[in-house]
Amino acid sequence: MIIEKIVGNIASLSKRAPHVERVYLQSDDLVKRVQRVVTDHGKELGVRLKENRELIDGDVLYMDEKNMIVISVKDDDLITIKPTSIGQMGDIAHQLGNRHLPAQFEGDEMLVQYDYLVEELLQKLEIPYQRENRKVRKAFRHIGHSHD
């Protein structure tokens, strides 16, 4: 079966099928418009999205009256940064921006993929953080940039 469009997202669907199969993806795979995936029931699917969009956790790839196939993102190894002031937030945002590290924000937390150099920097700057395995809804996007 080839999936060319997303049916919707499980969080906002009013009608659901009684049986759910899951496709478990790494967050990096969410940006791939073309890929081969396997459900937790062993069903192979080809994903070839016609629209230019990324997958997100909970996207429904297929649904009929009895079955639906849903994307589930695997946990990432993250550093959750919890600055205690706007000064700390500015300092760490500046430092990570200079390194071109992608970040995501959830409430008052900054999320970055684990890197021991970032951990050392946070310790040096005495900025509160914790390392944890956590699911992210969207992929971390590296933004191309050069210093000309």
Side-chain angles (χ1 to χ4, degrees):
M1 177 185 326
I2 304 292
I3 306 298
E4 294 183 327
K5 74 178 218 152
I6 303 303
V7 174
N9 194 282
I10 199 160
S12 58
L13 283 180
S14 57
K15 205 176 219 184
R16 297 181 183 185
H19 182 259
V20 178
E21 289 185 52
R22 301 243 177 226
V23 171
Y24 292 96
L25 296 178
Q26 298 289 339
S27 64
D28 294 352
D29 293 330
L30 297 174
V31 298
K32 298 177 184 175
R33 286 181 36 215
V34 178
Q35 60 185 306
R36 181 175 298 271
V37 298
V38 179
T39 72
D40 59 350
H41 289 68
K43 187 180 296 177
E44 283 193 47
L45 305 171
V47 176
R48 184 178 61 217
L49 298 179
K50 288 185 175 184
E51 60 183 308
N52 189 16
R53 82 183 279 279
E54 296 176 8
L55 296 168
I56 60 172
D57 186 56
D59 275 348
V60 178
L61 300 178
Y62 171 83
M63 185 168 65
D64 62 21
E65 311 78 42
K66 297 179 183 177
N67 192 33
M68 60 194 303
I69 300 173
V70 180
I71 297 289
S72 285
V73 181
K74 294 180 181 178
D75 289 351
D76 275 299
D77 187 7
L78 300 176
I79 296 177
T80 303
I81 304 169
K82 302 175 182 186
T84 57
S85 69
I86 191 72
Q88 278 187 344
M89 176 55 91
D91 197 14
I92 194 61
H94 176 76
Q95 294 279 346
L96 297 178
N98 279 342
R99 297 169 190 224
H100 302 282
L101 289 178
Q104 295 183 23
F105 297 88
E106 290 185 7
D108 294 338
E109 299 175 334
M110 176 188 257
L111 308 175
V112 296
Q113 290 176 311
Y114 179 78
D115 180 313
Y116 75 94
L117 294 172
V118 172
E119 186 173 40
E120 288 175 1
L121 175 65
L122 291 164
Q123 290 169 351
K124 179 181 161 195
L125 296 174
E126 298 180 355
I127 297 176
Y129 75 94
Q130 75 183 56
R131 183 177 178 182
E132 61 184 331
N133 287 318
R134 184 166 161 180
K135 183 186 288 198
V136 293
R137 282 186 46 83
K138 296 183 177 184
F140 284 93
R141 299 283 296 166
H142 288 274
I143 298 173
H145 176 75
S146 62
H147 294 275
D148 294 330

